[in-house]
């Protein structure tokens, strides 16, 4: 395995990392700095992608560069797999480049957003009816207690003016009455209206009921959302190969045939306690995907890869099962990190069980890595962006661990390179784990 910093020149033949840099530099998005490839900072420049800009998403430019590495000619039809599809950056890019694409994500909200974006052509003819239905609903406000369980209603009441929330719920009911509620584009449109109508500021991740921003009236918000969508009409209906979005874990992908995938482009949850369920609480409650905190754990966290202490229910007692699934070559350094976290926990007032995240996270990641390899054709490339982390100041080099697991799973040409430094202030001020700060890494492997 090669592991180098981004400015290292390749030794001997060109590394995958060097090829990625070259493909990016020669591609249509050459103006975008390499450091932005793992981030969502270019998303708003891209039609359709910008309909829902996901804080944890990577850039369309990263996907474009990976595709151009794998596809010698533009006419060749390829099959792209994203086992952690999120809000669909890889799937949308694939559709626009005329690739077949398959994505997995058990998160009920993200999977519907990626379905709406990746298959927008299919839903586009419904847009007029969706708007009419939402507008009708705004005129028929719905009392909060009529639709939402108490906990969900109390949380949402902190985020919206009462009249706005009643109008928004009226729109949800109208969509249901008009048979448009399961329509992915309807969910995307009304969810974006929610964002604009919400009076709580977001720090980019969580809706914080205590911090305020200017909220648009729901009707005004709908106009703004439609303006963006209609501006992207050409791209929305382009591409004719429908993407397949599976709302389930990629640890098992029986829907994808063995040796059928030409490239994997993905970014998994990081081992950093970032809670994908909590960050979507507003949508989960509004759409009835969960009604209480414990339903969020049941219906969402419980289905995702364990990367947060709030997801540990059911995983604490089977740590040894997870541990024993890992390769003996990897265990010494992982064991050392787990012991250090357990020791540190004893000294911390919060006593977060970070030590219990590591084995389940790696073991579940390994399941997905194995499944990907099964589906990949010989020569297919696996391209991943993933970050390391520092919990309680203990450095967790997840990208390097993942690269090592890829080798033990049977991937060839495995490489791991830092692409972007991140989190310096956080690490240096409050943590003592990493001298250099954290980074986002490009991990590559090839099916042999
Ligand atoms: C870093 S995000 C991916 C973002 C994506 N690249 C984009 O641009 O939208 C990781 C995603 O993995 C999903 N995830 C977590 N556990 C999963 C699992 N077991 N199988 C598939 N996806 C999972 C999360 O819900 C989250 O959406």
């Amino acid at each position: 395995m090669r592991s180098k910093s981004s400015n290292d020149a390749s030794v001997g033949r060109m590394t995958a990392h060097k090829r990625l840099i070259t493909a990016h530099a020669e591609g249509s998005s050459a103006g975008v700095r390499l450091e932005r490839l793992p981030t969502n900072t270019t998303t708003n420049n891209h039609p359709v992608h910008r309909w829902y800009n996901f804080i944890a998403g990577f850039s369309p430019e990263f996907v474009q560069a990976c595709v151009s590495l794998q596809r010698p000619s533009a006419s060749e039809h390829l099959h792209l797999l994203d086992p952690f599809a999120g809000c669909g950056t890889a799937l949308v890019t694939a559709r626009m480049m005329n690739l077949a694409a398959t994505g997995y994500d058990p998160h009920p909200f993200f999977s519907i957003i990626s379905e709406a974006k990746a298959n927008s052509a299919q839903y586009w003819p419904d847009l007029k009816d969706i708007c009419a239905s939402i507008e009708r609903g705004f005129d028929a406000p719905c009392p909060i207690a009529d639709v939402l369980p108490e906990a969900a209603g109390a949380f949402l009441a902190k985020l919206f003016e009462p009249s706005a929330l009643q109008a928004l719920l009226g729109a949800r009911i109208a969509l249901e009455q008009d048979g448009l509620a399961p329509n992915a584009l309807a969910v995307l449109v009304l969810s974006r209206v929610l964002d604009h109508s919400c009076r709580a500021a977001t720090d980019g991740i969580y809706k914080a009921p205590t911090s305020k921003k200017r909220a648009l009236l729901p009707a005004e918000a709908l106009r703004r959302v439609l303006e963006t969508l209609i501006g992207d009409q050409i791209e929305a209906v382009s591409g004719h190969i429908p993407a397949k979005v599976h709302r389930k874990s990629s640890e098992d992908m029986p829907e994808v045939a063995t040796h059928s995938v030409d490239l994997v482009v993905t970014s998994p949850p990081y081992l950093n306690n970032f809670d994908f369920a909590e960050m979507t609480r507003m949508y989960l409650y509004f759409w009835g995907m969960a009604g209480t905190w414990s339903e969020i754990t049941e219906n969402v966290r419980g289905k995702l890869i364990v990367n947060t202490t709030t997801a540990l229910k059911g995983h604490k007692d089977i740590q040894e099962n997870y541990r024993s699934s890992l390769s003996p070559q990897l265990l010494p350094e992982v064991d050392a990190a787990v012991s250090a976290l357990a020791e540190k926990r004893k000294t911390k007032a919060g006593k977060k069980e970070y030590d219990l995240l590591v084995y389940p996270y790696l073991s579940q990641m390994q399941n997905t890595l194995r499944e990907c390899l099964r589906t990949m054709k010989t020569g297919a490339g696996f391209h991943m962006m993933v970050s390391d982390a520092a919990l309680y100041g203990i450095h967790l080099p997840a990208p390097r661990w993942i690269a090592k697991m890829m080798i033990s799973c049977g991937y060839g040409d495995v490489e791991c390179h830092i692409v972007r430094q991140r989190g310096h202030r956080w690490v240096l001020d409050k943590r003592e784990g990493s001298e250099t700060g954290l980074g986002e890494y490009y991990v590559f492997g090839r099916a042999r």
Side-chain angles (χ1 to χ4, degrees):
M1 176 182 84
R2 295 187 190 86
S3 181
K4 295 185 181 300
S5 71
S6 57
N7 47 14
D8 276 332
S10 60
V11 193
R13 76 191 177 82
M14 212 184 208
T15 62
H17 179 236
K18 202 70 194 277
R19 284 199 306 276
L20 178 78
I21 296 171
T22 310
H24 174 53
E26 290 171 356
S28 54
S29 52
V32 169
R33 285 202 325 277
L34 188 73
E35 296 76 43
R36 297 177 77 185
L37 293 192
T39 75
N40 69 328
T41 56
T42 69
T43 301
N44 287 344
N45 306 333
H46 291 271
V48 183
H49 290 278
R50 64 183 179 146
W51 294 357
Y52 188 95
N53 188 347
F54 184 25
I55 180 82
F58 50 40
S59 65
E61 288 84 357
F62 170 57
V63 187
Q64 287 164 0
C66 296
V67 171
S68 69
L69 282 177
Q70 200 75 38
R71 176 157 74 178
S73 84
S75 61
E76 193 174 334
H77 286 294
L78 300 180
H79 180 196
L80 176 150
L81 170 67
D82 184 347
F84 301 103
C87 295
T89 310
L91 307 183
V92 174
T93 310
R95 170 168 62 84
M96 291 188 183
M97 298 177 84
N98 238 343
L99 269 65
T102 305
Y104 282 79
D105 201 315
H107 195 300
F109 180 69
F110 295 150
S111 59
I112 208 157
I113 295 295
S114 67
E115 168 68 27
K117 286 161 70 183
N119 288 319
S120 52
Q122 178 188 324
Y123 298 104
W124 195 257
D126 300 328
L127 187 60
K128 223 168 137 198
D129 290 345
I130 291 170
C131 294
S133 184
I134 290 176
E135 277 170 344
R136 185 173 74 74
F138 286 163
D139 292 336
C142 173
I144 300 170
D146 283 8
V147 251
L148 297 178
E150 206 182 325
F155 178 80
L156 291 177
K158 293 183 201 159
L159 304 182
F160 299 91
E161 292 298 336
S163 59
L165 183 53
Q166 288 176 19
L168 293 163
L169 287 170
R172 186 191 126 183
I173 300 300
L175 287 170
E176 281 164 12
Q177 287 168 347
D178 295 340
L180 288 163
N183 183 305
L185 190 60
V187 174
L188 184 144
V189 169
L190 189 53
S191 297
R192 293 299 290 134
V193 171
L194 241 62
D195 288 332
H196 291 303
S197 310
C198 177
R199 68 182 176 194
T202 118
D203 59 0
I205 302 175
Y206 299 99
K207 294 278 180 295
T210 44
S211 53
K212 298 218 166 183
K213 73 166 170 61
R214 194 175 91 77
L216 298 185
L217 292 172
E220 210 182 327
L222 178 63
R223 272 196 296 280
R224 181 172 296 187
V225 173
L226 287 179
E227 221 172 80
T228 306
L229 261 71
I230 290 167
D232 294 350
Q233 173 159 7
I234 293 172
E235 292 82 2
V237 299
S238 76
H240 46 262
I241 312 178
K244 292 192 180 112
V245 180
H246 299 286
R247 187 184 297 183
K248 57 194 291 243
S249 169
S250 54
E251 289 179 84
D252 190 21
M253 300 188 275
E255 299 79 8
V256 188
T258 301
H259 302 318
S260 66
V261 165
D262 296 278
L263 78 162
V264 176
V265 183
T266 199
S267 175
Y270 301 168
L271 186 45
N272 62 359
N273 206 35
F274 182 87
D275 188 340
F276 287 104
E278 183 167 3
M279 70 169 284
T280 50
R281 186 139 64 127
M282 176 178 79
Y283 311 109
L284 295 172
Y285 282 166
F286 178 81
W287 289 109
M289 293 167 180
T292 59
W293 183 256
S294 63
E295 274 180 27
I296 291 183
T297 298
E298 266 340 280
N299 304 350
V300 188
R301 289 192 187 100
K303 298 187 163 47
L304 306 182
I305 274 193
V306 173
N307 77 320
T308 165
T309 51
T310 48
L312 278 172
K313 197 176 164 206
H315 299 279
K316 293 184 192 180
D317 302 334
I318 49 171
Q319 291 281 314
E320 190 45 41
N321 297 0
Y322 288 126
R323 182 181 176 278
S324 62
S325 73
L326 303 177
S327 88
Q329 287 78 26
L330 189 61
L331 277 180
E333 57 178 313
V334 176
D335 285 346
V338 171
S339 304
L341 285 170
E343 278 307 304
K344 207 59 173 246
R345 163 146 66 110
K346 293 181 196 157
T347 68
K348 296 285 179 179
K351 299 204 184 305
K352 293 252 190 205
E353 295 168 308
Y354 295 137
D355 49 309
L356 303 184
L357 299 180
V358 182
Y359 297 133
Y361 175 84
L362 291 176
S363 178
Q364 292 173 333
M365 280 294 297
Q366 184 170 258
N367 291 339
T368 296
L369 292 172
R370 286 205 175 111
E371 265 297 83
C372 285
L373 189 57
R374 175 189 65 75
T375 67
M376 288 160 72
K377 294 178 185 168
T378 303
F382 177 99
H383 310 260
M384 176 184 272
M385 287 293 185
V386 58
S387 178
D388 56 355
L391 296 173
Y392 276 159
I394 310 292
H395 186 228
L396 304 174
R400 198 157 48 76
W401 289 344
I402 289 170
K404 283 192 168 181
M405 286 200 297
M406 287 170 63
I407 294 172
S408 64
C409 288
Y411 287 80
D413 299 343
V414 175
E415 294 176 29
C416 176
H417 297 262
I418 192 162
V419 180
R420 185 175 89 93
Q421 299 281 351
R422 68 194 278 267
H424 274 275
R425 187 192 60 76
W426 186 74
V427 174
L428 297 179
D429 287 353
K430 300 189 188 150
R431 314 275 159 163
E432 65 236 35
S434 163
E435 284 170 15
T436 55
L438 303 177
E440 249 152 339
Y441 289 73
Y442 172 56
V443 180
F444 175 83
R446 194 184 297 288
R448 294 192 275 216

